[in-house]
Amino acid sequence: QVQLVESGGGLVQPGGSLRLSCAASRSISSIATMGWYRQAPGKQREMVALIRSGTYTSVAGPVLGRFTISRDNAKNTVYLQMNSLKPEDTAVYFCYALADSASWGQGTQVTVSS
């Protein structure tokens, strides 16, 4: 397994931006799939964006065109750039990695409110 630590969450006004970071405890160059999920109060956890080896990405419909996922293998870090944030983006955001098994971070709160 790999330990994942998220950072970058916080309170932002609608229309604002945040960048989440996910630092891994070891090299991510061999981890085929990493990504971000989110869970809002009373709702199931849902996929936000995934990035696979190289530059192949998959982004969920509700955030398409607003969120961008990227990875920096040299820094063992995955990022989620979130622009044009909406109140419905409010959730705890979790980092995810699929190596020999699935690993999850502890989550970071994102609150979009005026």
Side-chain angles (χ1 to χ4, degrees):
Q1 270 195 337
V2 56
Q3 278 69 52
L4 305 169
V5 178
E6 303 97 334
S7 61
L11 173 64
V12 63
Q13 292 187 342
S17 297
L18 283 175
R19 188 176 80 156
L20 304 183
S21 299
C22 171
S25 60
R26 65 170 179 83
S27 172
I28 66 171
S29 59
S30 62
I31 299 177
T33 301
M34 298 192 69
W36 293 91
Y37 283 70
R38 69 185 182 186
Q39 188 166 18
K43 294 188 177 181
Q44 290 188 333
R45 190 172 296 190
E46 62 178 3
M47 188 274 286
V48 176
L50 298 174
I51 185 165
R52 294 180 173 83
S53 298
T55 58
Y56 178 79
T57 62
S58 177
V59 181
V63 305
L64 189 63
R66 300 188 296 121
F67 290 12
T68 302
I69 187 171
S70 61
R71 62 193 287 172
D72 185 336
N73 288 345
K75 295 183 178 180
N76 298 327
T77 300
V78 174
Y79 303 98
L80 185 68
Q81 178 66 45
M82 306 186 295
N83 298 328
S84 302
L85 282 160
K86 303 176 181 180
E88 51 263 44
D89 295 318
T90 295
V92 178
Y93 284 70
F94 296 90
C95 185
Y96 165 81
L98 181 60
D100 296 331
S101 60
S103 298
W104 294 91
Q106 81 288 349
T108 185
Q109 177 70 47
V110 172
T111 302
V112 184
S113 176
S114 56

